[in-house]
Structures are given as C-alpha cells and as structure tokens.
C-alpha cells in the first residue's frame, strides 16, 4: 500500500462525508509526487474528451451511455478537467496497487493541457468536439492549441473520434497516420444557413491554403465544407445525423430515431459524438436512447431553478458559445429578462475583448424586457450592450446577489449567463433562493 495514495484517499473520503468534493485530494497527491497520475494501471478503455465547447456535456453523456450497456465507468462528471481533478478521479477509484477499478474511464481533459497529460493518462480513444477561439490571454490563438494536439496524436494508435464538420478538428485526421479515425457530422436542417455572419476560424484549407467552400453553416465555422482543389472535407462520416426534428426533440441516424435532451444544434453534435464513440468500441447504440431522453445538464449548464418563475442558467466563455446561448434564449417565444455576469479572473480569461465578437445584438428582441449586468467587468458588458442599442433595457449591479434579487422581483421567466468564476457562486445564490421558495410552498 502506498502511503501517498492512502493519504489522498482518506482526504477524499473525508471531504465526501462533509458534502464537499473538488480537486483538493489530487492537488495534495501531485504536491507529494509529481508523477502520481502516471502510476495508475488504467482500464481497458480510456476515453479522453476534449475541445473548446461541450466537453463536460459530451463526457457525461458518454459515461452514462456506456454505463447503460453494463460496463463499469468512472468519469470526472463535474468538469474537473485539469491535472488535479484527474488525479482525484483516479485515486478515488483505485485499489491499493494503483489499479483503477473500472472497465472504462471517460475523462474530460482541458484542451490546453492535454498535451502535458497525454502520456500519463494513456488514452485508447480521444474525442474532439470542436475548436474555437477561447481565452486568448491564456491559450493564445486557436492554432496553438491545434498544433499541440497534433503533436501528441501524430503517433497515436488508438481511436480518434472527430467532428468532421469542423475543418480545424479534421486536421487531426491528416496528421494522425496510425490512428483509427471515426468522423461524425450533421446534415443540413431548418436552422442551417447558406452564409455565416459569425466569427469563423475555418476559412482556408489546411492542405493547400485555398478558401474552403461551404454548402451550409450550422454555427460559426461548423458545417458542410470542401476544398475544390484537393477534396478536403469530403470524407464520409461514420455517424451522420440525417435529420433533426427540433419541435419533437429528435434526430435520425441511419433510419434510427433518437431523442435529444435539448432543442439545439450543439446538443445534437454532442449526441453524435457519443454515438460515434460507442460505435467505435462496438457497443449497442440503442442503449443511448434512454440516456439522451433523460439527460439533464447541471452545474449551471442550462440548469433551471424555480424562483417566482423559472430561471435558467448557462455558462459562456467565448463568442461562439455566447452566440449559441443567445440563440437559444431568443428562440423561446415568451416574455423574459436576462442577467449577464462577466468576470475577468484567470480562469475566465483576463482579456474580455471577446465580448465584441459575440453577437449581443441578438438580444434586441421584443420579448426581452430587461438586461441586468454584474461581475468584475459589468461596465464593459453594459457598454457592449449600449453599442447595439439596448441602453434603455440595461441596469448595472455591482453585487451579483442584488442582481439576482432584482431579476426575481420582475416576476417573469429569466435567464442568467455567467463566465466561469461566477458560475458556482451565482448558482449557490439561485439554489438558496429556490430552496426558500420551496419551503414556502410546503407551508
């Protein structure tokens, strides 16, 4: 028995007893032994989920679907995707000999740090959702992230599950000559567009540097593209969503209909990635149906709280994610109000210039009555909204708690969108307020 491993497991169990989690045990382990993660004997299947947007949702969906087939799965379900969270996950599910007690490990890993942990985790499969510009002060340009992932996967001999509708993700296919590559994609549907007015990072062919031609866009640079000179983008998809029925929350793959937990294009892409990964392993895809139907997002990702009226919370951290959340909010045909919380701490990205690349003019909708802003960069957010003609609806709150109270007092349905470091504290405020209303309801 390793004294270090035992110490970490005792700390983890102690935190669990008092209702706390987090990555503190892993931080302790890595402080005692910087090679702690590499010591574990991993399961037969080690699936890493990475990319810019949708990692937590995709990894949680995948873990639940695989578990539904009867295999024992471990998963960092709360999105603790840095080395401390990964160390905590492995230690929590290991015996005294560092043997991970599971058939499958589904591990969400931050795309910026995957290259550092790749050899330690020893994945058998890597799932890549998408690549977008994100936290430029921390990550640099998107090209930096792509090149680091290309470097660690160039000799990879496992399965690569790639979004074939993202020209930047598809680059990994050309580079990973020894990997078994599986692509997923989504057909043109009622929300696809022939042109895009959103920030796009996939304009040019990585093989010949000529401009790519798009048949349709789903969002940002995600869509059906091709290079007319070398055929880039014309690869067949292993899992292809033929049709989406947004009104009934369903989609079709190979004449089989699947439910989807949310009526958004990015939710369909998450499900397509899961089906592609399951198919590559040889699992029964029908086992995903119930999971797709019942799945609920948590920890502030499309999570709903019952205050005077429903209040739905979402995370935003880059222009593409913000655009998709705003599309979702505007699509709801009822009167509503919005709270926006923008922080600029290290985990958010200290550079908030991305606010000017997101299409906040989408919020200029008759059903949106008030837009409250808070956070460390509340005045930057207010200025951004003023520039798109929303100054008559804006109110600034330096205290988030005051903003939540004011939003609730309007007595209409509402949405709260926050950057990462405001997520958990704001969620706690909403949970507390929802519990208060629930107690009153009991009385």
């Amino acid at each position: 028995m390793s004294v270090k491993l035992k110490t970490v497991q005792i700390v983890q169990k102690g935190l669990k007893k008092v209702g706390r989690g987090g990555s503190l045990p892993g931080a302790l382990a890595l402080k005692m032994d910087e090679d702690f993660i590499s010591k574990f004997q991993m399961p037969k299947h080690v699936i890493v989920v990475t990319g810019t947007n949708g990692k937590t949702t995709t990894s949680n969906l995948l873990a639940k679907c695989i578990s539904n087939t009867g295999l024992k799965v471990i998963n960092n379900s709360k999105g603790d995707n840095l080395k401390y969270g990964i160390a905590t996950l492995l230690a929590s599910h290991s015996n005294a000999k560092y043997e991970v007690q599971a058939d499958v490990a589904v591990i969400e890993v931050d795309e910026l740090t995957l290259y550092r942990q790749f050899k330690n985790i020893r994945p058998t499969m890597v799932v890549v959702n998408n690549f977008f510009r994100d936290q430029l002060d921390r990550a640099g340009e998107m090209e930096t992230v792509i090149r680091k992932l290309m470097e660690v996967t160039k000799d990879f001999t496992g399965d690569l599950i790639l979004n074939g509708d993202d020209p930047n993700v598809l680059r990994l296919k050309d580079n990973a000559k020894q990997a078994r590559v599986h692509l997923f994609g989504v057909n043109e549907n009622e929300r696809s567009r022939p042109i895009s007015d959103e920030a796009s990072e996939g304009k040019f062919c990585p093989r010949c540097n000529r401009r790519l031609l798009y048949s349709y866009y789903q969002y940002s640079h995600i869509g059906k593209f091709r290079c007319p000179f070398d055929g880039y983008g014309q690869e067949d998809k292993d899992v292809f969503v033929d049709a989406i029925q947004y009104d009934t929350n369903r989609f079709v793959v190979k004449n089989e209909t699947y439910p989807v937990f949310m009526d958004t294009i990015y939710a369909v892409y998450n499900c397509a990635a899961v089906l592609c990964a399951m198919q590559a392993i040889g699992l029964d895809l029908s086992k995903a149906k119930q999971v797709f139907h019942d799945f609920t997002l948590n920890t502030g990702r499309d999570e709903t709280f019952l205050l005077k009226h429903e209040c739905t919370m979402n995370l935003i951290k880059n222009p593409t994610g913000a655009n998709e959340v705003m599309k979702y909010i505007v699509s709801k045909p009822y009167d509503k109000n919005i709270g926006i919380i923008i922080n600029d701490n290290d985990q958010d990205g200290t550079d908030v210039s991305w606010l000017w690349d997101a299409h906040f003019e989408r919020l200029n909708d008759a059903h949106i009555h008030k837009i409250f802003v808070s956070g460390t960069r509340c005045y930057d957010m207010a200025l951004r909204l003023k520039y798109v003609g929303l100054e008559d609806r804006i109110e600034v709150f330096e205290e988030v708690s005051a903003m939540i109270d004011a939003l609730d007092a309007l007595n209409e349905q509402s949405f709260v969108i926050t950057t990462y470091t405001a997520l958990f504290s704001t969620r706690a405020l909403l949970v507390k307020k929802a519990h208060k209303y629930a107690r009153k309801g009991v009385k």
Side-chain angles (χ1 to χ4, degrees), residues 116-269:
R116 295 195 190 107
Q117 296 302 325
F118 203 83
K119 290 182 179 179
N120 293 332
I121 298 172
R122 304 182 297 283
T124 59
M125 175 181 286
V126 178
V127 180
V128 186
N129 276 350
N130 46 60
F131 289 130
F132 300 112
R133 295 181 78 199
D134 184 49
Q135 298 184 356
L136 296 183
D137 56 310
R138 176 175 171 239
E141 286 293 338
M142 188 181 64
E143 183 70 18
T144 303
V145 178
I146 296 172
R147 287 182 178 178
K148 286 178 178 178
L149 281 180
M150 289 174 69
E151 178 63 27
V152 296
T153 56
K154 68 178 180 180
D155 298 321
F156 181 55
T157 57
D159 294 288
L160 271 180
I161 312 299
L162 304 179
N163 184 347
D165 290 347
D166 186 330
N168 300 306
V169 171
L170 192 60
R171 288 170 60 182
L172 298 176
K173 177 181 182 294
D174 280 2
N175 184 69
K177 302 295 185 183
Q178 301 180 58
R180 296 180 295 274
V181 178
H182 314 266
L183 305 179
F184 62 90
V186 178
N187 200 1
E188 187 173 11
N189 56 82
E190 65 184 72
R191 296 185 185 175
S192 305
R193 302 175 65 185
I195 58 174
S196 175
D197 59 357
E198 298 175 351
S200 176
E201 303 293 333
K203 296 179 180 178
F204 301 100
C205 175
R207 293 176 182 167
C208 68
N209 295 320
R210 294 182 174 95
R211 193 174 187 90
L212 293 171
L213 300 180
Y214 275 78
S215 302
Y216 56 85
Y217 292 87
Q218 310 286 22
Y219 64 100
S220 187
H221 56 257
I222 307 297
K224 176 63 176 175
F225 61 89
R226 66 181 178 89
C227 176
F229 300 96
D230 57 34
Y232 186 74
Q234 294 183 288
E235 293 84 352
D236 291 332
K237 308 295 194 304
D238 296 87
V239 169
F240 187 68
V241 176
D242 297 297
I244 303 174
Q245 302 158 5
Y246 288 106
D247 57 337
T248 59
N249 282 26
R250 299 182 184 280
F251 66 93
V252 179
V253 175
K254 295 179 182 176
N255 296 318
E256 194 71 31
T257 300
Y258 294 85
V260 61
F261 57 95
M262 192 176 180
D263 62 340
T264 61
I265 187 64
Y266 53 87
V268 174
Y269 271 102

Side-chain angles (χ1 to χ4, degrees), residues 76-95:
N76 50 343
S77 60
K78 294 185 178 180
D80 295 325
N81 61 20
L82 300 176
K83 61 182 180 181
Y84 305 122
I86 296 167
T88 301
L89 174 71
L90 298 178
S92 301
H93 295 89
S94 170
N95 64 16

Side-chain angles (χ1 to χ4, degrees), residues 22-27 30 37 49-50 55-56 76 78-90 107-117 120-121 135 138 346-347 420:
S23 55
L24 175 60
L30 289 166
I37 293 174
V49 179
T50 194
K55 295 186 291 294
T56 301
N76 50 343
K78 294 185 178 180
D80 295 325
N81 61 20
L82 300 176
K83 61 182 180 181
Y84 305 122
I86 296 167
T88 301
L89 174 71
L90 298 178
I107 307 175
E108 176 190 339
V109 184
D110 176 66
E111 70 276 16
L112 306 184
T113 60
L114 176 58
Y115 74 99
R116 295 195 190 107
Q117 296 302 325
N120 293 332
I121 298 172
Q135 298 184 356
R138 176 175 171 239
D346 287 343
Q347 289 173 291
Y420 187 76

